[in-house]
Amino acid sequence: QLQASGGGLVQAGGSLRLSCAASGLTFSNYAMAWFRQAPGKEREFVAVISWSGGRTYYADSVKGRFTISRDNAKNTVYLQMNSLKPEDTAIYYCGARDGHVAVTTTAYVYWGQGTLVTVSS
């Protein structure tokens, strides 16, 4: 089970940190990712981190602004979002995958319920 939190309303240029707490799985075995879905759009990849935290990948649209990290002792993955833009407005979902990192939604078996991020201009 994955529980995402930390969303909210923020002005453009602001920051938020999302958290995703995992339970019921061996967290350190799983690659963890963040995806987002804006109204009327497909769910899209944002960032992924390997099970060890040694590898990270980002969508071009967030590179340099967002940072994914994990704490395996706390079974939690984070997404630090800086310099937020109105186009970052979406529901953010965390996903877990037993294996290597991946950037497609179909590769992820476990999903959190989503947390809404709204960036005002």
Side-chain angles (χ1 to χ4, degrees):
Q1 189 175 18
L2 303 178
Q3 183 74 35
S5 61
L9 174 64
V10 63
Q11 287 190 329
S15 298
L16 281 175
R17 189 175 83 151
L18 305 183
S19 299
C20 175
S23 61
L25 52 83
T26 306
F27 183 74
S28 58
N29 288 350
Y30 284 76
M32 298 296 297
W34 288 96
F35 288 75
R36 66 187 182 186
Q37 188 166 16
K41 294 190 176 181
E42 299 280 323
R43 191 172 297 190
E44 66 174 8
F45 168 74
V46 175
V48 63
I49 188 167
S50 62
W51 63 270
S52 68
R55 288 194 296 164
T56 57
Y57 298 97
Y58 297 91
D60 287 343
S61 59
V62 306
K63 206 172 292 183
R65 300 187 298 122
F66 291 10
T67 302
I68 190 171
S69 62
R70 67 189 295 158
D71 185 338
N72 285 349
K74 295 183 178 180
N75 287 0
T76 301
V77 63
Y78 305 97
L79 186 68
Q80 178 66 43
M81 305 186 296
N82 299 328
S83 302
L84 282 161
K85 304 175 181 180
E87 51 263 45
D88 294 318
T89 295
I91 299 174
Y92 284 70
Y93 297 90
C94 55
R97 181 174 190 271
D98 184 2
H100 298 297
V101 297
V103 300
T104 58
T105 57
T106 54
Y108 288 82
V109 176
Y110 300 106
W111 291 95
Q113 84 288 1
T115 185
L116 177 62
V117 172
T118 304
V119 184
S120 63
S121 56

